[in-house]
Amino acid sequence: MTERMLHLPDVDATCLLAARLAASRPSRAVVHLHGDLGAGKSTLARAMLRALGVSGAIRSPTYTLVERYPLGDGSGADGEAFHLDLYRIGDAGELEFLGLDPAEGALWLVEWPERGAGGLPPADLRIELAMAGPGRAARLVATTLDGAEWLARLEADPELRALPPSSDRKSRQVPDS
Ligand SMILES: Nc1ncnc2c1ncn2[C@@H]1O[C@H](COP(=O)(O)OP(=O)(O)OP(=O)(O)O)[C@@H](O)[C@H]1O
Ligand SMILES: [Mg+2]
């Protein structure tokens, strides 16, 4: 299992990480986004969708549970992105009624995946977000070979070097007040 810790001092840093994740993603990727309310999961998911060329409204899936977006030029060749937020799901069985085939979808971005239990495709990448002073800490854990190769590409990405590793910042964190 490979993992990487990053400190995201502000929203721009979250969006930079999202853009680099989008640029280096495998042809099919399942991302589980963990973190408390307000940790920044939707911010990261939205910025990934934007980076992949989604230009219209990016609606919150809070009540619909899923929002779907064609990727690429819209011809469908690049497949679809699924953005899920399972915070309000009654039980994991409700996932069946969403009509999502776990084998489909070029990109799954799932907030509150723990509430979907066994109804979700397994993650390639688990992203854990947490408050860290005024910013956020991100832990990226690869859980498949595709995920590990994705993290390796990210590791080699010069644009991400602008982000400090989170451990560097711990001693310098300023509490919110
Ligand atoms: N790196 C960051 N530093 C500071 N603020 C951030 C960062 N990333 C996101 N935020 C801010 O955190 C707030 C909450 O973000 P967001 O809605 O994405 O959280 P969430 O994890 O999706 O929450 P929920 O579980 O309620 O859906 C937003 O105001 C967003 O701008
Ligand atoms: Mg959210």
Side-chain angles (χ1 to χ4, degrees):
M1 190 163 73
T2 44
E3 65 172 75
R4 170 109 197 245
M5 295 285 295
L6 289 167
H7 180 71
L8 306 171
D10 51 29
V11 177
D12 286 351
T14 300
C15 294
L16 172 64
L17 172 61
R20 302 323 298 160
L21 279 166
S24 58
R25 82 195 158 101
S27 54
R28 174 186 153 85
V30 178
V31 181
H32 287 187
L33 292 156
H34 290 267
D36 288 341
L37 289 169
K41 304 178 294 296
S42 297
T43 306
L44 187 78
R46 284 206 172 102
M48 276 187 81
L49 292 167
R50 280 278 178 254
L52 290 170
V54 175
S55 55
I58 297 182
R59 297 163 299 271
S60 168
T62 307
Y63 294 99
T64 53
L65 300 182
V66 63
E67 294 290 341
R68 308 169 64 140
Y69 302 92
L71 295 177
D73 63 7
S75 71
D78 293 315
E80 240 185 322
F82 300 150
H83 179 196
L84 287 82
D85 181 343
L86 303 182
Y87 186 71
R88 288 192 157 76
I89 201 167
D91 69 276
E94 273 182 44
L95 268 173
E96 280 176 39
F97 296 103
L98 298 179
L100 298 175
D101 180 344
E104 284 178 4
L107 178 65
W108 288 66
L109 298 168
V110 188
E111 300 183 47
W112 296 99
E114 52 275 53
R115 304 197 176 195
L120 288 171
D124 296 294
L125 195 63
R126 192 168 79 227
I127 302 182
E128 300 167 10
L129 294 165
M131 305 282 171
R136 303 289 186 271
R139 180 169 177 251
L140 282 60
V141 184
T143 39
T144 61
L145 187 57
D146 277 351
E149 289 172 353
W150 194 1
L151 269 195
R153 286 191 294 278
L154 211 60
E155 198 78 46
D157 186 334
E159 293 193 42
L160 259 199
R161 304 237 165 90
L163 296 180
S166 69
S167 52
D168 279 1
R169 286 298 193 100
K170 283 219 168 85
S171 55
R172 286 189 269 141
Q173 266 170 28
V174 185
D176 261 331
S177 64

